[in-house]
């Protein structure tokens, strides 16, 4: 979800206004993905690198996160959404962790869309942590399956499609291991303007692709 700041800037608004406006497309995507029976939606909400932003913005983002979790819990429940989170969750403010744990618990028996929030997430750290955990368990060598099983995403399928908004042609430390064979889709649309129609366009593009996984 990229482009909140530039969306706000283009309108002469503070960056926080862009982050606030970015909540609505999250609601829309949850509903659209639920309707389309997409099993898993992972949203990259806050990276380990985002702490380097000005303190005010970090505080705003954390406040917005716990506020949105609380406010949207009912909507998520009505849509049968189950919630999970990946990332170094221990590094999040207590207010966010409390709200996150409460919401995950509330939605835990739902069987619809799995909404997976990447929070304080960085893929390199995820891989290093996984390898260190396997070493601590006394492993001398591991298989690709074992490494997959030691990541935050253990048990989740690898993404079929990665959508990046705001036109940036990079992966920015997102699910590096898991997106080895994912299809990538970049749209110039800023995240706050990303609508159902944009999602459908991305899915139609995805459907037109031939996935060969290295074969012929
Ligand atoms: C995405 O929008 C939101 C987060 C990373 C939390 P940005 O804040 O990165 O917006 P730009 O890239 O400055 O436009
Ligand atoms: Mg950005």
């Amino acid at each position: 979800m990229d482009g909140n700041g530039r969306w706000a800037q283009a309108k002469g608004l503070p960056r926080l206004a862009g982050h606030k406006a970015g909540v609505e497309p999250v609601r829309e995507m949850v509903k659209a993905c639920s309707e389309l029976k997409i099993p898993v939606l992972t949203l990259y909400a806050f990276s380990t690198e985002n702490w380097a932003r000005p303190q005010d913005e970090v505080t705003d983002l954390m406040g917005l996160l716990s506020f949105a979790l609380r406010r949207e819990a009912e909507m998520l429940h009505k849509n049968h959404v189950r919630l999970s989170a990946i990332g170094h969750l221990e590094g999040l403010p207590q207010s966010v962790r409390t709200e996150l744990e409460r919401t995950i618990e509330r939605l835990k028996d739902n069987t619809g869309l799995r909404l997976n929030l990447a929070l304080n997430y960085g893929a390199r750290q995820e891989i290093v942590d996984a390898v260190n955990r396997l070493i601590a368990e006394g492993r001398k060598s591991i298989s690709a399956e074992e490494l997959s099983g030691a990541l935050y995403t253990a048990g989740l399928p690898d993404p079929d499609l990665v959508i990046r908004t705001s036109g940036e042609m990079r992966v920015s430390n997102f699910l590096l291991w898991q997106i080895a064979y994912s299809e990538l889709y970049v749209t110039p649309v800023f995240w706050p303007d990303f609508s159902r129609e944009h999602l459908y366009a991305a899915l139609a593009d995805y459907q037109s692709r031939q996935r060969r996984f290295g074969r012929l």
Side-chain angles (χ1 to χ4, degrees), residues 145-193:
E145 286 71 27
E146 285 168 316
L147 181 54
S148 291
L151 299 173
Y152 293 127
T153 49
L156 290 175
D158 287 342
D160 290 309
L161 172 65
V162 175
I163 300 175
R164 180 158 188 163
T165 56
S166 90
E168 306 290 359
M169 300 277 188
R170 50 177 180 264
V171 173
S172 298
N173 207 13
F174 182 60
L175 300 178
L176 296 182
W177 175 270
Q178 299 89 334
I179 65 171
Y181 280 99
S182 302
E183 295 294 324
L184 306 179
Y185 181 88
V186 175
T187 169
V189 174
F190 293 143
W191 175 254
D193 288 329

Side-chain angles (χ1 to χ4, degrees), residues 94-112:
Q94 190 54 52
S95 56
V96 175
R97 289 171 64 184
T98 304
E99 215 55 65
L100 191 61
E101 283 159 19
R102 205 203 311 261
T103 315
I104 288 172
E105 176 65 22
R106 164 124 200 258
L107 306 176
K108 72 175 194 307
D109 294 327
N110 288 341
T111 54

Side-chain angles (χ1 to χ4, degrees), residues 1-6 15 19 45-59 61 164:
M1 302 184 287
D2 199 12
N4 293 355
R6 278 161 287 164
R15 292 178 58 85
H19 296 313
F46 194 87
S47 77
T48 47
E49 289 73 29
N50 286 148
W51 296 109
R53 293 188 177 197
Q55 186 55 52
D56 290 7
E57 182 167 345
V58 171
T59 306
L61 280 167
R164 180 158 188 163

